[in-house]
Amino acid sequence: MRRMPSLGPAELIVLILLIVVIIGLVVGVTGRSRRRDGTTVAVPAPVPQDLEQLVGGLVRERRQIQAIKELRQRTGLGLADAKAVVDGVAAGQPLHSHPIMARFRPVQRTPLPSTPQDLPPDLATRVRQLKAAGREEQAIFLVRGETGMEEHEARLFVDSL
């Protein structure tokens, strides 16, 4: 009869780490609906019945472009995703069962500010504020992030203000 080799300290540590990683993965996958702060993440909303009827009716009328447009406006889907969904509906697949629609979330439109005072400051104003506070490098990063400028272009913009 053969004896099993005993585990040394290094092997034991590796085994414990492997178990911890597996448990972490299981908890991460099953606990995705909760954030770290304990609040729950919104689950995808069901597809509204009127949207399903509208898209289905437009597809039956062979108005796929209008169906794609309506779907994009009401769901926030990109052009390729909306086209794939409409093509699926045209092939007989119900709108609510399409895999892309599983991540549907109603588009929430933010109201426009009612007065100019409610508008956020423009880029130039924010850059001026950062420069006045002695944070010129942050101002350059802000310009690069919002405009896509190269560093030397952003630096010229910040210096010109």
Side-chain angles (χ1 to χ4, degrees):
M1 184 170 183
R2 293 179 70 181
R3 266 184 78 200
M4 294 280 298
S6 61
L7 294 177
E11 290 89 6
L12 194 57
I13 290 173
V14 169
L15 183 62
I16 290 172
L17 285 174
L18 183 62
I19 291 171
V20 168
V21 167
I22 291 171
I23 290 172
L25 287 172
V26 169
V27 168
V29 168
T30 60
R32 282 193 180 179
S33 64
R34 292 208 169 265
R35 292 185 181 159
R36 288 184 183 157
D37 61 3
T39 60
T40 56
V41 177
V43 294
V47 176
Q49 188 66 29
D50 66 322
L51 179 61
E52 189 150 359
Q53 291 172 348
L54 174 66
V55 171
L58 289 169
V59 167
R60 282 189 296 281
E61 295 172 6
R62 300 193 187 284
R63 296 174 54 198
Q64 275 83 351
I65 294 174
Q66 185 65 32
I68 292 168
K69 180 180 175 183
E70 290 291 333
L71 192 60
R72 291 188 69 202
Q73 286 177 345
R74 294 183 182 213
T75 62
L77 288 175
L79 179 60
D81 286 343
K83 183 182 181 317
V85 171
V86 169
D87 289 346
V89 170
Q93 182 180 24
L95 181 68
H96 66 272
S97 69
H98 198 285
I100 292 174
M101 294 305 293
R103 59 181 190 254
F104 165 72
R105 295 209 183 359
V107 176
Q108 297 192 356
R109 310 252 186 236
T110 52
L112 293 174
S114 56
T115 63
Q117 294 82 13
D118 295 338
L119 289 170
D122 64 338
L123 178 62
T125 302
R126 290 180 285 154
V127 168
R128 284 187 193 103
Q129 290 170 343
L130 286 170
K131 270 185 75 172
R135 297 164 55 193
E136 190 169 316
E137 285 302 312
Q138 281 186 314
I140 293 169
F141 285 128
L142 174 67
V143 171
R144 290 188 68 195
E146 289 201 11
T147 65
M149 288 182 185
E150 295 293 325
E151 184 175 358
H152 69 280
E153 296 170 320
R155 190 172 299 279
L156 288 172
F157 177 78
V158 169
D159 289 343
S160 70
L161 295 176

